[in-house]
Amino acid sequence: MTAAFAELMSRLGYERYGVQGGDRGGIIARELGRTRPGLVIGVHANLLPGVSAPREPDGEELAGLSASERERTLASWRRNEQWSREQDGYAAIQSTRPQTLAYGLTDSPVGQLAPPRGGHGSRPGNGLRTGPRRPSGGRRRRPRCCRTRW
């Protein structure tokens, strides 16, 4: 995949460029920067699967950081742990039992309307909301394509 992106950028006439990717694209962006350092001037990656710390940082690991850096590091750890506990089930079932999930998504109108990872309620970077977002009137609005007219 990285070779394809490098070839595309070359055909488009770019001699040097920055790359960005999230989720699986973050892995591609990272590898593009790693394998083509002469072409890639910078890499921005977010939500890289499988690269989170295996355990909470201890005092020795945090010792070289300022107080604010330690707090940010620990807060990041807590957010990642909360995400893993509350939001990662969709990825887990997709990687272990995708056909089970597929039945619900294809055979049910409700399954078709339910976005991955909790949809309206999960907003990474927005406090990891676990409840539905509601307009000021308190009613949950469905997407325009899915509204029922009585």
Side-chain angles (χ1 to χ4, degrees):
M1 185 60 73
T2 58
F5 276 110
E7 179 64 24
L8 173 65
M9 296 305 281
S10 175
R11 287 183 185 190
L12 290 173
Y14 292 99
E15 294 177 15
R16 297 195 50 153
Y17 45 88
V19 295
Q20 192 283 329
D23 199 6
R24 303 293 188 244
I27 296 170
I28 295 167
R30 179 190 66 196
E31 288 303 299
L32 194 55
R34 187 183 67 77
T35 60
R36 290 167 174 77
L39 301 175
V40 177
I41 59 174
V43 175
H44 176 264
N46 56 297
L47 193 63
L48 287 169
V51 297
S52 60
R55 60 180 169 69
E56 184 173 5
D58 60 24
E60 185 178 318
E61 292 171 312
L62 299 172
L65 303 177
S66 70
S68 65
E69 289 172 326
R70 279 193 301 274
E71 183 51 42
R72 283 196 314 268
T73 299
L74 291 172
S76 176
W77 167 261
R78 289 189 293 269
R79 282 191 308 272
N80 186 60
E81 286 298 293
Q82 182 180 0
W83 172 265
S84 294
R85 277 191 315 275
E86 298 176 8
Q87 304 292 330
D88 208 21
Y90 185 81
I93 196 165
Q94 280 286 65
S95 65
T96 59
R97 302 285 188 274
Q99 194 62 40
T100 301
L101 184 59
Y103 292 129
L105 291 174
T106 57
D107 291 347
S108 165
V110 174
Q112 290 292 316
L113 294 175
R117 297 194 178 144
H120 299 293
S122 61
R123 300 274 195 271
N126 192 12
L128 288 175
R129 297 174 53 88
T130 55
R133 276 190 104 124
R134 298 186 188 269
S136 59
R139 274 188 39 215
R140 183 173 179 175
R141 295 180 190 253
R142 287 171 289 180
R144 184 174 303 280
C145 66
C146 308
R147 293 185 185 157
T148 304
R149 303 285 183 212
W150 298 97

